[in-house]
Amino acid sequence: MAIQRTLSILKPDATRRNLTGKINAVIEGTGLKIVAQKRLQLTQAQAEAFYAVHKERPFFGELVSFMISGPVVVQVLEGEDAVQKNRDIMGATNPKDAAPHTVRAQFAESIEANSVHGSDSAENAVNEIKFFFAEIEINA
Ligand code: UDP
């Protein structure tokens, strides 16, 4: 498997509870490298655009409100099989279903406030990284 990049977001429940360092330690423990990172307060329009794929889902409005309820940390992770490796360490969407060692099992508050986002395919990763970062900001 080649070196790959994926987009990760530490969500507002994680920044509010001062968990960014703990979550980054889990990410770095997998061998993935954080090659770009910034803390942002998303606007409603930005959150709606980022989650546009979910706009017909019943939870869309609440998800957008949650994602703008405080700052997020957006990051690019790089390494072998980065998309799947990050999905594995995130755990299931609902923390009740997440395997014990995962970020969501350890830290998530609920199915909505589940601490992290991670791209779910290589193709989505390319687009999600472009949404937040210029190439000059990504440094391995
Ligand atoms: N979400 C929610 N309610 C649900 C399903 C999802 O609030 O019933 C939120 C949750 O924050 C999740 C995000 O919407 O992380 C995107 O959902 P997706 O199904 O893509 O899950 P993920 O890929 O983040 O595990």
Side-chain angles (χ1 to χ4, degrees):
M1 173 54 79
I3 298 295
Q4 214 179 30
R5 287 176 178 172
T6 191
L7 185 86
S8 165
I9 306 179
L10 311 187
K11 294 183 178 182
D13 66 290
T15 59
R16 176 168 48 77
R17 290 177 292 148
N18 229 11
L19 291 172
T20 63
K22 287 202 169 86
I23 296 173
N24 279 351
V26 176
I27 291 168
E28 291 182 334
T30 68
L32 291 174
K33 194 167 180 182
I34 301 167
V35 295
Q37 177 167 256
K38 56 192 175 189
R39 188 170 172 111
L40 301 173
Q41 174 62 55
L42 297 180
T43 64
Q44 175 147 347
Q46 287 166 340
E48 286 175 354
F50 183 77
Y51 278 118
V53 60
H54 292 310
K55 67 173 181 296
E56 307 304 337
R57 309 271 291 272
F59 57 82
F60 179 70
E62 283 185 9
L63 174 61
V64 168
S65 299
F66 164 62
M67 289 300 289
I68 66 174
S69 67
V72 295
V73 174
V74 295
Q75 6 178 249
V76 180
L77 312 181
E78 188 176 278
E80 210 163 286
D81 204 12
V83 170
Q84 191 55 48
K85 215 177 246 180
N86 186 43
R87 295 292 301 184
D88 289 347
I89 203 63
M90 287 164 60
T93 309
N94 188 342
K96 289 185 184 138
D97 303 327
H101 65 285
T102 59
V103 170
R104 284 169 167 168
Q106 292 182 73
F107 303 116
E109 292 184 314
S110 66
I111 190 170
E112 175 183 84
N114 60 6
S115 304
V116 281
H117 166 86
S119 309
D120 62 5
S121 69
E123 188 189 356
N124 284 344
V126 169
N127 292 326
E128 290 181 0
I129 290 169
K130 269 195 208 134
F131 186 92
F132 286 112
F133 292 95
E135 195 56 41
I136 197 171
E137 297 177 289
I138 306 171
N139 295 286

